[in-house]
């Protein structure tokens, strides 16, 4: 195939095409040899292996025993983020709380003292990340609770969004009632906010007594 491409590039002279092909192959071999020498091992050689935690598994020297676990955690979390992406959703917080707590439980079953230095570092970093994420969920829950009096209709909107992502069948009558409740809550909140603004303006315009 390579020879055919060279002939297409040099259609008028087969000798030139052959020379270009030979030069290309030689350059590739030289580059491969240089790369192998820079890595300090012959071509085709694998990195040395060592036992991982006495479990019969081997991993490359200098690698962490938790490297696959860290990769799995990252991929699973990314998948959950794509599925559960409704901000301040109670269901979302519950799902991620279960996810992080499950991973913390997995870490407790790891023999920390028998791990390599790289494995211990990954263990500490992953555990710190899990505790941080759980703290963030608790802060989000408190923030949602504090905001609820200001946006009492948030749960209705969240439920619509989550039902859409679950591909739930639409119940027209129920959805109509929910939208009516949403409009009522918005009107009530608007009137209350305007009344407070008017009272604040009136109070500011009232002259202070002598």
């Amino acid at each position: 195939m390579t020879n055919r491409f060279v002939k297409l590039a040099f259609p008028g002279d087969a000798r030139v095409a052959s020379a270009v092909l030979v030069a290309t192959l030689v350059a590739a071999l030289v580059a491969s040899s240089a790369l192998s020498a820079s890595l300090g091992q012959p071509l085709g050689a694998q990195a040395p292996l060592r036992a991982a935690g006495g479990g019969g598994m081997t991993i490359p020297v200098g690698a962490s025993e938790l490297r696959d676990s860290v990769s799995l955690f990252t991929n699973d979390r990314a998948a959950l983020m794509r599925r559960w992406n409704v901000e301040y959703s109670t269901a979302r917080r519950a799902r991620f709380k279960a996810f992080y707590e499950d991973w913390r439980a997995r870490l407790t079953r790891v023999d920390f003292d028998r791990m390599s230095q790289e494995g211990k570092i990954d263990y500490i970093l992953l555990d710190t990340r899990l505790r941080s994420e759980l703290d963030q969920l608790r802060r989000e829950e408190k923030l949602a609770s504090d905001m609820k009096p200001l946006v009492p209709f948030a749960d209705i909107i969240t439920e619509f969004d989550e039902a859409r992502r679950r591909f739930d069948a639409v119940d027209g009558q129920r959805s109509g009632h929910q939208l009516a409740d949403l409009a009522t809550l918005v009107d009530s909140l608007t009137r209350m906010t305007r009344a407070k603004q008017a009272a604040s303006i009136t109070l500011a315009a009232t002259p202070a007594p002598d």
Side-chain angles (χ1 to χ4, degrees):
M1 183 178 291
T2 304
N3 192 30
R4 184 173 60 189
F5 288 149
V6 172
K7 288 181 178 179
L8 289 174
F10 301 94
D13 194 335
R15 289 175 300 177
V16 174
S18 299
V20 171
L21 176 60
V22 172
T24 301
L25 293 175
V26 171
L29 289 173
V30 171
S32 297
S33 299
L35 177 61
S36 176
S38 67
L39 294 175
Q41 59 183 13
L43 285 174
Q46 295 182 348
L49 302 176
R50 61 173 167 79
M57 181 179 67
T58 57
I59 62 173
V61 170
S64 164
E65 295 91 338
L66 292 181
R67 61 176 187 169
D68 291 338
S69 296
V70 171
S71 178
L72 178 61
F73 166 79
T74 302
N75 293 335
D76 284 355
R77 183 177 181 275
L80 287 177
M81 292 289 289
R82 289 191 294 271
R83 167 59 182 86
W84 302 92
N85 59 355
V86 180
E87 294 293 333
Y88 300 105
S89 163
T90 302
R92 176 182 180 276
R93 284 196 300 273
R95 181 65 186 90
F96 273 95
K97 183 174 183 289
F99 174 69
Y100 296 135
E101 288 179 344
D102 176 67
W103 270 97
R104 290 210 71 194
R106 294 188 193 187
L107 282 181
T108 62
R109 297 193 292 268
V110 175
D111 190 346
F112 181 83
D113 294 332
R114 299 184 63 180
M115 299 176 71
S116 66
Q117 191 67 21
E118 294 83 4
K120 290 179 179 179
I121 292 173
D122 276 349
Y123 182 104
I124 293 172
L125 290 175
L126 181 55
D127 185 54
T128 301
R129 171 69 180 275
L130 293 171
R131 288 188 282 108
S132 175
E133 294 289 354
L134 287 169
D135 288 341
Q136 179 63 32
L137 289 177
R138 285 189 285 270
R139 288 194 294 270
E140 180 183 305
E141 184 176 10
K142 184 180 183 306
L143 181 60
S145 177
D146 292 342
M147 291 190 304
K148 192 167 185 176
L150 302 176
V151 283
F153 48 83
D155 289 342
I156 299 176
I157 298 176
T158 299
E159 175 58 27
F160 272 122
D161 200 356
E162 289 182 341
R164 178 178 65 85
R165 295 177 188 281
R166 292 192 303 265
F167 298 100
D168 290 351
V170 177
D171 185 337
Q173 185 174 4
R174 180 172 179 270
S175 297
H177 287 309
Q178 287 179 314
L179 289 173
D181 292 340
L182 173 61
T184 300
L185 285 172
V186 171
D187 288 342
S188 175
L189 184 61
T190 301
R191 288 194 299 269
M192 183 178 64
T193 302
R194 288 176 176 173
K196 287 183 178 181
Q197 289 177 340
S200 177
I201 293 173
T202 301
L203 182 62
T206 302
D210 295 335

